[in-house]
Amino acid sequence: MASIDIRNVRKNFGIVSVLHGVDLSIENGEFVVLVGPSGCGKSTLLRMIAGLEEVTEGEIRIDGMRVNERAPKDRDIAMVFQSYALYPHMNVAENMSYGLRIRKAAREKITAAVSNAARKLELQPLLARRPKALSGGQRQRVAMGRAIVRQPKAFLFDEPLSNLDARLREQMRAEIKKLHRDLGATSIYVTHDQIEAMTLADRIVAMHEGVVQQVGSPLELYDRPANLFVAGFIGSPAMNFLSACYEIGAGTAGARLPDGTLIALSSAYQLEQGASVTLGIRPEHVEMSPASESSLRATVDLIEPTGFGIILHLGLHGLPFNVFTLDRAALTAGPTVTVAFPPQHLHLFDETGMRALETSLQKGKG
Amino acid sequence: MNSYSTFGTALHRLAILCYVLFALFPLFWLLKVSVTPNDLLYSEGVRMWPSRMSFEHFRFVLAHSAFPVFFRNSMIVAGATAVIVTLLASLSGYALSRFTFRGKYWLVALMLLTQMFPLVMLVAPIFKMLSPLGLTNSLTGLVVVYTAFNIPFATFLMQSFFDGIPKELEEAAKIDGATQFMAFRQIVLPLTLPGIAATLGFVFTAAWSELLFALMLISGNSAATFPVGLLTFVSKFSVDFGQMMAAGVLALIPACLFFLFIQRYLVQGLTAGAVKG
């Protein structure tokens, strides 16, 4: 097990810069998920830690040792690929033991390690099979088995579940989590799926266009997204955004929408009076309410029952707006509904898209 | 719908059968003439099989002609060319498939360029170059020339096979603890066996049946290869078809054996299951 330090790491492919200075410290035994849309540089960062891509600038340390110039084989890490990358001419046992055989481990040690991993992953009946005779989920398990037999310093996962169907993905997600609980190994996991990120991670690193946007626990990212990107990326259905103007009065703060509606805020922010802001609210936090002064009327475009709840696709001032509710009455909603925003669930972002800093409300003049 | 698809399948099979018959007919004729005794060759008219079979042509070709020498020469030249070309093309094809290096584009363009000239144009300059080196009238000379002419195509062929092997397999091997060369030898090479077999077969057949350079660079029987040797059955006044065809049948044997040996690799879809398709 090991800690991994990434200091001001940059990566250029020719004149194209894909990582613009990433800093990240990963603790011993931690499960860190790199999440972001395609092309955000998360896989490149992982491949640089593995030694499959050169580091253009900066430094990567594993257990305090600089590894920039080390070949992948000398870094003592294991990686699970999206495509599994099983050796097709070897059977399951040979696939799993390849790393140990190449390191000239003792035969008894290899047999013990393989059967131990096979038992953990329920692969014993498949040890003599070739990869082509396995199902997608079984191949995925073999790929994980190959990683764990070596007992490496760290595990790297590059979108390992992307090729599986939804059901199997859920099952394997739980297995990976269990495996991490049992082995306690430092793990870095790359995915574009925010549900995987939320469910697996001790800490999430949200990335966008080669820059780390926010690092924090899953709930930190969900409750207090640092900017518009994280707010929009974490959570499904995605957060709703409305343009507004910030208004501060005596003992009150609010955001005025273009139609004149004033939405009350629970605290004041370090913003100028009249500053343009973006108001964010998650679909599950919107309340369907009877009409009132601060409620908004929206047209219903589409109703999507998910079984567990209902997603309403609304039009608010002509802009798309989603609401998630557990109330089945929403299924029979008319052409328009009224919605209200509880102040404690509102997120406010300044003109640059960063989360606005809160201050306490001044009680005063009237 | 069902009867239509049955009809379609039947038509499809019939078309394939017609093609196979058409393609194999010359081979059949070769065999037929080789077992027809001389006295029946012109007296029986066009028949699908002679009324009496004889192996006299084979006996003559093996015992009284220089054919065994031609055969041996061809084996040496084609075998050596196939092995050398495949070895070099595997390395160069791997380099083209996996590495980026300066001048790669121009190297590929140059290799393509060599494939654009009709070989006839190059016979004279090649002769002029090989002559002072003592490589005319020698099997080594032929191997050198064949190797040079086959490498570009074989390289592209091998490159396409390497391109078909996912890069992740090598990366996984490297992370497992292999060096670049170990990953090549233990992971990539076994998976490229079908490609290597195809390249070996292609180069072997090309060298086995090459006539132009063999005719121009070789004089006399001692270093003649089999295609040149066949011409010895053509004399000033007659063509000894029976013996020529018997020699042809014998020359087919190594090629057939060779393909029988490698066909296992040619049809094997080894990479199936490596990565999710």
Side-chain angles (χ1 to χ4, degrees):
Chain A
M1 304 309 118
S3 61
I4 297 173
D5 276 308
I6 295 160
R7 291 181 199 164
N8 193 28
V9 161
R10 290 169 190 276
K11 177 70 186 174
N12 300 339
F13 288 109
I15 53 163
V16 185
S17 174
V18 292
L19 283 178
H20 315 284
V22 171
D23 284 288
L24 188 63
S25 280
I26 296 163
E27 304 281 319
N28 193 355
E30 199 176 14
F31 199 115
V32 169
V33 176
L34 307 179
V35 69
S38 324
C40 72
K42 56 191 189 301
S43 281
T44 307
L45 182 59
L46 191 80
R47 291 170 58 82
M48 284 160 89
I49 297 169
L52 298 173
E53 299 283 354
E54 277 178 29
V55 178
T56 310
E57 210 186 304
E59 196 174 60
I60 296 177
R61 285 173 178 268
I62 298 178
D63 246 358
M65 294 283 286
R66 179 186 159 98
V67 294
N68 286 35
E69 291 78 23
R70 282 203 196 170
K73 70 183 178 71
D74 300 324
R75 297 189 182 198
D76 196 15
I77 35 105
M79 185 155 165
V80 179
F81 291 82
Q82 176 179 0
S83 58
Y84 319 136
L86 302 179
Y87 313 127
H89 56 304
M90 297 182 191
N91 65 26
V92 170
E94 288 165 342
N95 259 287
M96 284 168 48
S97 62
Y98 180 73
L100 289 174
R101 281 185 285 137
I102 219 166
R103 282 157 209 264
K104 306 234 160 31
R107 189 179 295 251
E108 305 79 56
K109 191 185 159 197
I110 295 177
T111 322
V114 169
S115 63
N116 194 16
R119 196 176 50 245
K120 256 192 200 112
L121 294 161
E122 293 166 25
L123 286 170
Q124 286 126 319
L126 308 174
L127 284 175
R129 285 209 205 160
R130 290 269 174 97
K132 68 178 167 195
L134 301 176
S135 70
Q138 290 168 335
R139 285 179 201 173
Q140 182 58 60
R141 271 205 196 96
V142 177
M144 299 219 302
R146 189 171 63 181
I148 64 173
V149 285
R150 260 182 35 227
Q151 302 185 323
K153 282 186 180 158
F155 291 106
L156 310 179
F157 298 88
D158 190 3
E159 309 212 16
L161 306 183
S162 303
N163 282 344
L164 302 176
D165 61 48
R167 185 88 188 219
L168 206 51
R169 202 179 311 160
E170 256 171 45
Q171 193 187 327
M172 290 305 293
R173 204 170 67 201
E175 283 191 32
I176 290 178
K177 191 153 189 168
K178 245 187 269 170
L179 204 66
H180 179 251
R181 189 188 60 197
D182 296 346
L183 300 176
T186 311
S187 306
I188 307 180
Y189 187 105
V190 162
T191 180
H192 59 262
D193 182 344
Q194 50 99 19
I195 302 273
E196 267 172 39
M198 294 291 284
T199 48
L200 285 171
D202 291 329
R203 263 196 312 158
I204 296 181
V205 179
M207 292 179 70
H208 183 47
E209 292 180 343
V211 177
V212 172
Q213 305 287 324
Q214 187 172 3
V215 182
S217 73
L219 288 181
E220 264 171 57
L221 266 73
Y222 179 84
D223 290 338
R224 295 183 59 79
N227 55 34
L228 279 175
F229 169 79
V230 179
F233 194 80
I234 300 290
S236 174
M239 188 186 279
N240 298 297
F241 296 116
L242 298 166
S243 299
C245 282
Y246 179 67
E247 285 190 6
I248 178 87
T252 61
R256 196 169 291 281
L257 300 180
D259 71 339
T261 317
L262 185 71
I263 309 287
L265 299 171
S266 60
S267 62
Y269 291 85
Q270 290 177 13
L271 290 167
E272 307 246 323
Q273 171 82 347
S276 40
V277 291
T278 304
L279 198 62
I281 182 153
R282 296 198 180 277
E284 54 272 35
H285 293 150
V286 178
E287 280 176 4
M288 314 265 289
S289 65
S292 73
E293 202 180 299
S294 60
S295 69
L296 293 157
R297 184 160 287 276
T299 54
V300 178
D301 285 340
L302 194 70
I303 299 174
E304 277 185 329
T306 64
F308 171 62
I310 294 145
I311 302 171
L312 292 168
H313 293 255
L314 307 178
L316 194 68
H317 309 317
L319 296 171
F321 189 91
N322 292 339
V323 174
F324 179 82
T325 174
L326 297 177
D327 183 4
R328 293 207 170 177
L331 276 176
T332 54
T336 61
V337 289
T338 47
V339 290
F341 306 154
Q344 72 275 22
H345 287 308
L346 287 169
H347 304 264
L348 205 67
F349 302 94
D350 66 17
E351 252 177 325
T352 60
M354 299 305 289
R355 184 179 191 85
L357 293 176
E358 287 163 48
T359 58
S360 55
L361 268 173
Q362 300 288 318
K363 300 276 181 200
K365 302 170 203 167
Chain B
M1 191 66 194
N2 205 5
S3 70
Y4 176 79
S5 76
T6 316
F7 178 71
T9 312
L11 211 65
H12 183 211
R13 300 270 159 84
L14 197 72
I16 292 176
L17 188 71
C18 286
Y19 173 74
V20 170
L21 286 180
F22 180 77
L24 289 182
F25 189 74
L27 289 180
F28 166 73
W29 209 247
L30 184 81
L31 189 70
K32 183 237 159 184
V33 175
S34 71
V35 296
T36 309
N38 265 340
D39 52 326
L40 297 181
L41 201 55
Y42 297 108
S43 60
E44 284 199 318
V46 179
R47 288 180 61 148
M48 289 310 280
W49 200 249
S51 55
R52 180 163 52 83
M53 260 172 59
S54 131
F55 291 99
E56 62 186 73
H57 301 310
F58 289 93
R59 272 195 293 276
F60 181 86
V61 163
L62 288 173
H64 302 295
S65 75
F67 181 81
V69 179
F70 303 150
F71 192 85
R72 192 205 64 194
N73 289 345
S74 268
M75 280 299 279
I76 293 172
V77 171
T81 307
V83 170
I84 295 172
V85 168
T86 307
L87 205 67
L88 293 177
S90 303
L91 299 175
S92 56
Y94 182 74
L96 287 184
S97 167
R98 289 295 196 261
F99 305 136
T100 44
F101 49 88
R102 206 178 303 169
K104 182 175 173 179
Y105 174 83
W106 292 108
L107 192 73
V108 172
L110 208 65
M111 277 166 60
L112 267 180
L113 200 71
T114 61
Q115 303 290 292
M116 292 177 187
F117 297 101
L119 290 184
V120 177
M121 272 173 63
L122 301 171
V123 169
I126 294 261
F127 189 84
K128 193 91 182 144
M129 284 194 295
L130 293 191
S131 191
L133 297 172
L135 288 174
T136 54
N137 217 10
S138 97
L139 296 181
T140 317
L142 275 186
V143 172
V144 169
V145 173
Y146 291 169
T147 302
F149 280 101
N150 278 305
I151 275 190
F153 183 81
T155 297
F156 293 134
L157 195 66
M158 283 309 295
Q159 184 196 348
S160 69
F161 282 107
F162 286 124
D163 284 345
I165 294 176
K167 229 176 168 171
E168 285 101 335
L169 290 183
E170 271 167 275
E171 292 178 345
K174 280 196 231 169
I175 287 178
D176 267 348
T179 59
Q180 175 89 40
F181 184 71
M182 279 158 98
F184 173 72
R185 199 169 57 84
Q186 299 178 345
I187 306 296
V188 179
L189 216 55
L191 296 174
T192 329
L193 281 182
I196 290 174
T199 309
L200 267 177
F202 171 81
V203 178
F204 185 87
T205 357
W208 184 259
S209 56
E210 206 283 335
L211 179 64
L212 184 67
F213 281 103
L215 205 57
M216 294 301 170
L217 297 178
I218 306 292
S219 52
N221 278 356
S222 66
T225 55
F226 151 77
V228 179
L230 271 192
L231 293 176
T232 60
F233 296 103
V234 182
S235 68
K236 207 166 186 181
F237 303 107
S238 69
V239 180
D240 215 324
F241 278 117
Q243 289 167 21
M244 197 192 228
M245 300 290 182
V249 171
L250 291 174
L252 274 178
I253 293 171
C256 286
L257 283 180
F258 192 74
F259 275 93
L260 205 69
F261 171 67
I262 63 173
Q263 62 96 23
R264 186 164 77 89
Y265 300 105
L266 277 177
V267 295
Q268 217 168 38
L270 254 179
T271 43
V275 293
K276 174 100 177 182

